[in-house]
Structure formats: C-alpha cells, structure tokens
Amino acid sequence: MRGLIASSIGVTCAAALALPLTPPAVAAAARPAPGAEAATTVARATEPDVPGSTQSLPLVPLDGDRTAGPTAEQGLPRRDVRRFSLVGVVWDNPDTELHGRVQVRTRDAATGTWSGWQDVETHNHEHAPDPDTDEAASGRVHGATAPLWVGDSDGVEVRVSAEPEVTGAEPADRPGGALPPGMRLELVDPGVAPAGEGGAVGETDRHADQQLTGRQLTDRQRATPYIGPRPRIVTRRGWGANEKLREKKVRYTKKVKVAFVHHTGTGNKYWCKQAPSVIRGIYRYHVKSMGWRDVGYNFLVDRCGNIYEGRAGGVAKPVLGAHTLGFNSNSMGIAVLGTFESKKPSGNAVKAISRLAAWKLGLYGVNPRGKTYLKSGGGNLYRKGKKVRLNVISGHRDGFDTACPGRQLYRKLGSARATAARYQGR
C-alpha cells in the first residue's frame, strides 16, 4: 500500500518546463487571437471588469462518446481561445487524486507557432489548506494539477489519460482506471503589468532594510542579536495583486517555527522582470480555479533573488498559509519560481531564501540551523496529531511524500541554513 502511494503521490510537484516567453514589445503588437469571439461563449468564468481573467473549459471524452460515464481519456481538440499565459486542470473533489498524465500544447500569440506536448504535474494536492480548517471546509476548494506557465498564448489543445487500473489489487490500492469527475481546463490571463514591471521590480516594503554588507551587517547584528537584517520585499501592490479576488479576512497562527521551501513547478524560462506576471497567474489560479482564500505561499522568490510578499496579512506576522498540507500552522512557505528536479536553482535565489529566513525566523527567536517540533494536521507521511521533529529550514518533502522542492533545490537547503545563521550573527 505504502509503495503504491509513494509511487503515485511522491513523484514531484514540478511541472514541465515552460516555453520561452514573448518579449513585451512583441506581445503588444501581436495579432488578435483568431476565433477568440467564438471561444468566449464556451468559457465558464471571466472577470472583464478587473485586471486578468480566467477561461474555464469543460473537458470531454476524446473518443466522442459523452454518455458513457467516467472515461480513461478526456481533453479538448485544438482550438482558438482568448489570450492566456498559465494553464492547469481542475476537478470537483479536492480529495480525489488524478492518477494519470496531463499534456497540453499551446500556440504563441505573437508567432502563431504551436508548441510540442508539455507535461503538467498532476500531483498538486500536497499544497493545500490543512484538514479541519475553515478554508478547507469552505465548499469552494477543488482538486487541481500544478499550474504551468506557457507565456502569451491564444490557442490550446489538451489530453488527459488515466493510468491503467491495477487488476487483482484491493480497491484502495487501484489508483488507475477512471479520471476524476468534473474536469475542466483553466486558462489564466494574469492581467496587465503594474508600474515598475517594465524593468525594475515594483513597489517594495517601505520598512525594508537596504543591502547590508561587511561592517554594516556586523553592527546591525550586534544591535539586534540573532535577527537578520530585514530584506527588500516586493509588496502585493508591487507585483500587482488584485485584492478583489481574495477573502478579506486573514487567519493567523501562533508563531513561525519552520520555513518550508517549495518550488512552484511552473517552469524556468521566464525573465525576472516577468516574475510579477507569473505570481499574478499563480494567485489567480489558487483563488479562482482551486478555491483557496488567497495565494497559498507566504513568500515567493525569483531566480534573480527578488523576494515577493505572498498571502496577505503582513510580512512580519505569522500568517496561516496553504503550502504544506498538515503543517501550515506555526510555519511559513517560501516558494521559488521554477522547477528544480534537474535544473539547479540560482545562487541568488538560495541567498534570498537565507536572507528571508534569517529575518523572519529571527523575529520569533528561531535558529535557522536548529530543529524543532510541529504537530501534524494529517497527511500521507504523518498521522494527525503526531509531533514531528523537523529542520527549522525544511523542504516540502520533509512534511509530505513529494519530490518538492525538487532534488536540486533540496540539496541547497544545508547551505541556506548555514548562510541564514550567519546573517543572524550566530
């Protein structure tokens, strides 16, 4: 049983690599999407009065038989759609897993060129609100794949194939055979760029410290022992968050004892100046498509080392996130934009994790090199109520059976712990 669970769940939370993105100057002059007007009548949900939009297209049996009940293959034939940059697949029940393969092809809005087939990571339920929380019990939460960033696109094709059913096994051990009910393709347009995305990163935390090096860093550490200097953080306003999307009420946990490191699984081919668009796409996918109250991560980091405020509620406060199923209480989630199973993270990204952890963990008196205990809220590694000893800076895989944050990023966490402790003056 455990082996089958590990094989189906503990694979990775990484998605396939995205296509090279269209430069802004080219995208601005790109042709309108052919057939977009017709596709509009198919889309279930759009928000034309606010920046960004989501097209939701129900999947159909690819064999053409729509009356046969659950099928082993669904999708959509190649079609024109309104512009989008991020894609994922969602379904009705968040407790139902998709055991199979999801592949998409997209058409570049500027050149009209179709991509090859790209895999979308199907095992995404390990990023979720904890069981027994009001967010998980809202009735709005859906099952979902990880989101895949594909750049400015105006055409799409998708196919979803279920794994073959394991014959002769107990029902609980048969992962394949049929696809989850209510599957639909979500096409996310992240909306217009905020002021500042054209080059420099947008508005930052007005309380943020400047970069400190040498004697300045030493003096600051002596003044505030074991609290690293506050790093520069791009605010939600800075990356263009549409605050109308999220719930207004914010939930807090008691403290921050552990920093869980993730990767977003959205691919590595983005420019740092486009990171706000990627984050807006993830935010909209988490809220409008998956049904969460806000983006799941507390912070996000791009390859250039820029740090972004994630879930609303205050960067210095213990905001309850939806990043590590079973361990969201008394922790924070830091997600690096990209996919790092085979690709190494940049040194700037790892340094940013260290700077952020040194400051935020320091506010709560926590040593980045240390270990601590968290109580599990329930998951596939630890039963509900079990006290688990974890590194203060842990990877997602330490709390859930998954390959997230990818093998290459996970290997860098020892370095991040040592650097964060140095920033704290330890």
Side-chain angles (χ1 to χ4, degrees), residues 27 60 98 109 144 263 271 296 308 359 368:
V60 299
L98 195 167
H263 64 182
W271 300 312
Y308 302 84
W359 168 68

Side-chain angles (χ1 to χ4, degrees), residues 94-303:
D95 297 324
T96 300
E97 298 175 28
L98 195 167
H99 296 282
R101 188 178 190 185
V102 177
Q103 293 180 298
V104 298
R105 298 180 66 196
T106 56
R107 183 177 61 200
D108 188 288
T111 67
T113 303
W114 283 87
S115 72
W117 287 105
Q118 302 179 87
D119 286 307
V120 179
E121 176 52 52
T122 60
H123 301 285
N124 193 44
H125 67 285
E126 62 264 29
H127 303 85
D130 282 346
D132 301 329
T133 61
D134 55 354
E135 184 172 6
S138 67
R140 298 188 302 271
V141 179
H142 298 120
T145 68
L148 176 65
W149 180 262
V150 294
D152 189 17
S153 305
D154 61 8
V156 70
E157 181 178 5
V158 61
R159 60 190 185 195
V160 182
S161 302
E163 292 178 357
E165 186 172 353
V166 180
T167 59
E170 293 297 323
D173 294 333
R174 292 199 298 259
L179 295 171
M183 297 183 69
R184 51 199 179 273
L185 181 68
E186 301 286 289
L187 305 176
V188 179
D189 169 21
V192 296
E197 191 185 359
V201 176
E203 180 176 315
T204 58
D205 185 346
R206 58 193 175 90
H207 299 294
D209 291 322
Q210 300 297 318
Q211 295 284 347
L212 300 178
T213 58
R215 184 168 181 176
Q216 286 180 309
L217 178 59
T218 303
D219 291 344
R220 174 60 59 88
Q221 290 169 335
R222 287 173 179 166
T224 54
Y226 308 138
I227 301 177
R230 186 168 181 157
R232 180 175 180 264
I233 300 173
V234 180
T235 64
R236 290 173 62 92
R237 180 178 178 181
W239 55 261
N242 175 12
E243 302 296 357
K244 294 180 181 179
L245 294 182
R246 68 174 177 87
E247 288 186 10
K248 297 303 179 185
K249 191 172 183 179
V250 178
R251 302 294 194 277
Y252 294 96
T253 185
K254 293 180 179 179
K255 59 184 70 174
V256 177
K257 299 172 63 178
V258 174
F260 283 105
V261 177
H262 304 258
H263 64 182
T264 59
T266 45
N268 302 309
K269 294 185 178 180
Y270 65 90
W271 300 312
C272 290
K273 63 184 178 183
Q274 294 172 315
S277 291
V278 180
I279 296 170
R280 291 197 304 274
I282 295 171
Y283 170 44
R284 176 171 282 274
Y285 186 72
H286 282 183
V287 176
K288 301 298 292 186
S289 300
M290 298 180 67
W292 296 354
R293 63 163 43 108
D294 195 349
V295 66
Y297 308 113
N298 298 104
F299 297 94
L300 300 100
V301 173
D302 68 24
R303 69 205 304 174

